[in-house]
Amino acid sequence: MATYKDDDYASKEGLVEANRLRQHRLVNTPRGANLLAYLQQVKESITHPVSFASSSGGGYSQGVPKYGALSLFASTVNFFVYDNDALQARFPTAFACGKYVFFSADFLEELKKDGSDSVVFVALHELMHISLLHSYRLKDINPRLANRAMDYVINTRLRIGHEPGGEAEEYRKEVSGGQNNERQIAHFSVGPSVRQGLGFEPGDLKKYGRLSEEDVARMLMNEPEQQQPSGG
């Protein structure tokens, strides 16, 4: 995807044409085109502002970003679907590159079955990889371990901010001194495929909730399996 790195500096007309040509290369079937249209609707749901009732009884706040800064950031990021066989073999799920988020058509189709909240969660997950500058961080450690650390931090922050009830609610009450902190502007309940695929585990929020990616990476490096001889 390095050929796209200069698009941020192209003219508006150049970007429109580049996006058109890129879609022509990435999407080759009507199914892919339909999934692309669906993904654009998901992006619209993320970026569309919402009204929020004031806790003080002073009416509604108009035009509040649904997912805070991520909603504002999403409006600057292009979303794409690819059904190219070679690309799907190389990247079977979703990934972020530069200021672009890409979804495999096969993965997105399966993710839809898990519910729209699951699609939103993965889209926000990829946006956070970009906004947290993950491509520039943790370069001095094993890439797989670095990605695990980044994913733990992202998933924890999204769950703390937007997951209703359960462990997330308990965590929010704990950090707020026991106050009712359930006035979320937006929340989602992701499906079982995402929870399993992203490795949600009981206790993750307390374990990683206040840590940086670097802190989590150091923690993972001290796990027993990381210290065993590689055998090679």
Side-chain angles (χ1 to χ4, degrees):
M1 311 313 293
T3 54
Y4 302 157
K5 66 180 181 180
D6 295 328
D7 283 1
D8 289 342
Y9 308 102
S11 65
K12 180 179 179 181
E13 293 76 17
L15 282 174
V16 171
E17 178 63 6
N19 290 342
R20 186 188 69 79
L21 291 174
R22 186 179 302 119
Q23 281 303 328
H24 180 71
R25 290 195 298 270
L26 295 178
V27 175
N28 302 284
T29 66
R31 180 191 69 136
N34 290 336
L35 287 169
L36 173 62
Y38 167 74
L39 187 59
Q40 297 306 319
Q41 293 175 359
V42 171
K43 177 182 175 180
E44 173 63 23
S45 75
I46 292 172
T47 59
H48 188 73
V50 296
S51 298
F52 182 58
S54 171
S55 59
S56 63
Y60 285 81
S61 299
Q62 300 294 324
V64 177
K66 190 173 185 180
Y67 298 103
L70 280 178
S71 289
L72 301 177
F73 183 62
S75 65
T76 72
V77 176
N78 290 314
F79 284 45
F80 298 103
V81 171
Y82 53 91
D83 59 14
N84 178 285
D85 290 340
L87 196 56
Q88 289 202 110
R90 176 66 179 85
F91 301 102
T93 55
F95 67 96
C97 178
K99 292 188 73 173
Y100 308 104
V101 169
F102 298 84
F103 277 78
S104 157
D106 290 349
F107 174 68
L108 181 56
E109 194 166 55
E110 287 301 311
L111 195 60
K112 285 181 63 180
K113 299 176 184 178
D114 218 34
S116 59
D117 280 2
S118 292
V119 181
V120 169
F121 186 95
V122 174
L124 294 175
H125 177 105
E126 297 302 334
L127 285 169
M128 287 188 72
H129 274 304
I130 303 172
S131 66
L132 294 172
L133 302 177
H134 281 171
S135 62
Y136 302 100
R137 299 169 66 181
L138 299 180
K139 288 188 173 183
D140 57 342
I141 67 171
N142 180 284
R144 285 184 179 274
L145 191 146
N147 191 68
R148 282 179 61 199
M150 294 168 183
D151 284 351
Y152 280 136
V153 169
I154 288 174
N155 297 337
T156 297
R157 291 180 183 178
L158 286 175
R159 292 179 61 198
I160 289 171
H162 303 289
E163 186 174 273
E167 185 181 352
E169 178 180 357
E170 291 302 316
Y171 183 88
R172 288 189 292 268
K173 286 182 178 179
E174 178 181 321
V175 299
S176 64
Q179 299 178 16
N180 182 3
N181 197 34
E182 284 301 287
R183 297 188 57 78
Q184 299 163 281
I185 296 177
H187 61 78
F188 41 60
S189 299
V190 300
S193 294
V194 167
R195 300 187 74 86
Q196 181 177 2
L198 291 176
F200 291 2
E201 296 288 348
D204 277 356
L205 303 190
K206 287 188 177 181
K207 188 174 183 179
Y208 305 115
R210 304 189 188 192
L211 299 181
S212 69
E213 291 85 332
E214 289 76 11
D215 291 331
V216 176
R218 284 190 287 270
M219 178 186 297
L220 295 177
M221 290 175 69
N222 290 324
E223 291 183 346
E225 59 267 28
Q226 296 296 332
Q227 299 178 2
Q228 294 175 358
S230 63

